[in-house]
Amino acid sequence: SFKMSSGFGLRGSIGRCYPFFAEYKECLNRRENSKHGMTCFMSREDYFECLHSRKEHAMVREVLEQEKANKLVEENGGGH
């Protein structure tokens, strides 16, 4: 059985990632010895993204780098 700490957030309400954990846990329980390890992959990805925000952080870095590149192009005459 899979467990998460309590499911409650800092202020006593439901934790921000608990719904993702519950969905992932339900998928794992529903899978019932499935031979396909990827069955719950999307639920797992959603839960881990909620916990760690890796994709969000990567996207923010990419946007900031593009903004910096755009600014350099503007400062150098727009590339013309």
Side-chain angles (χ1 to χ4, degrees):
S1 178
F2 298 92
K3 293 184 179 183
M4 185 177 174
S5 49
S6 68
F8 291 102
L10 292 174
R11 293 173 179 72
S13 61
I14 193 166
R16 68 183 172 88
C17 295
Y18 185 75
F20 295 104
F21 172 76
E23 180 183 326
Y24 180 46
K25 181 179 174 181
E26 182 179 315
C27 181
L28 291 172
N29 289 335
R30 195 173 49 233
R31 189 172 69 132
E32 294 181 3
N33 299 324
S34 172
K35 294 178 184 176
H36 306 298
M38 302 301 282
T39 305
C40 300
F41 181 77
M42 294 305 293
S43 297
R44 180 185 180 277
E45 283 288 300
D46 290 343
Y47 175 52
F48 276 57
E49 178 62 19
C50 182
L51 289 175
H52 306 294
S53 303
R54 289 183 179 138
K55 292 178 185 176
E56 179 184 3
H57 291 249
M59 187 184 314
V60 168
R61 275 192 306 275
E62 188 176 323
V63 168
L64 292 175
E65 288 172 9
Q66 186 61 50
E67 287 176 348
K68 185 177 178 180
N70 291 348
K71 186 176 180 180
L72 286 174
V73 168
E74 287 177 15
E75 289 173 355
N76 293 323
H80 295 276

